[in-house]
Amino acid sequence: MNGKDVRKLVIACDAGMGSSVMLAGHLRKSLKKQNVTVEHTPVDSIPGDADVVVCHSGLAARARRGAGDAPVIPFEVYLGDPAVDRLVKAIKDGGEVGG
């Protein structure tokens, strides 16, 4: 999928909300000039209209089960992770989004 086609990005988390909510806020700020909605949701409740799902690597298998055809982008650290940085760049520049 091309990053320019992303309209809804979902941050999936487990029980805790602090760090993933912080990441969602960071992505909203980073993508404010793009026409992208950033939502935060439990990993077991990923909405069917998500274009891309971002989650901690420990949740990636669960996220893939609920993400349908949407690519799942796993990360290791909540802020400054290279996988998240690549995703933001792909959305801004129209690069390929993988997962």
Side-chain angles (χ1 to χ4, degrees):
M1 142 178 265
N2 187 290
K4 293 282 186 184
D5 295 329
V6 174
R7 292 294 166 252
K8 186 171 188 176
L9 188 151
V10 172
I11 313 303
C13 71
D14 201 8
M17 290 187 56
S19 298
S20 53
V21 169
M22 186 171 58
L23 175 59
H26 171 75
L27 288 172
R28 280 185 197 104
K29 184 177 179 182
S30 296
L31 298 171
K32 67 183 175 187
K33 292 184 179 179
Q34 282 63 40
N35 186 23
V36 176
T37 300
V38 178
E39 292 185 3
H40 177 267
T41 185
V43 70
D44 295 321
S45 301
I46 296 169
D49 62 345
D51 292 317
V52 177
V53 177
V54 177
C55 67
H56 190 272
S57 60
L59 299 174
R62 285 172 60 194
R64 285 187 180 100
R65 286 193 295 270
D69 293 334
V72 174
I73 309 296
F75 63 86
E76 294 295 324
V77 294
Y78 282 91
L79 294 178
D81 191 278
V84 175
D85 294 343
R86 283 190 299 272
L87 174 61
V88 169
K89 182 172 178 18
I91 291 171
K92 287 182 174 181
D93 298 341
E96 189 66 22
V97 173

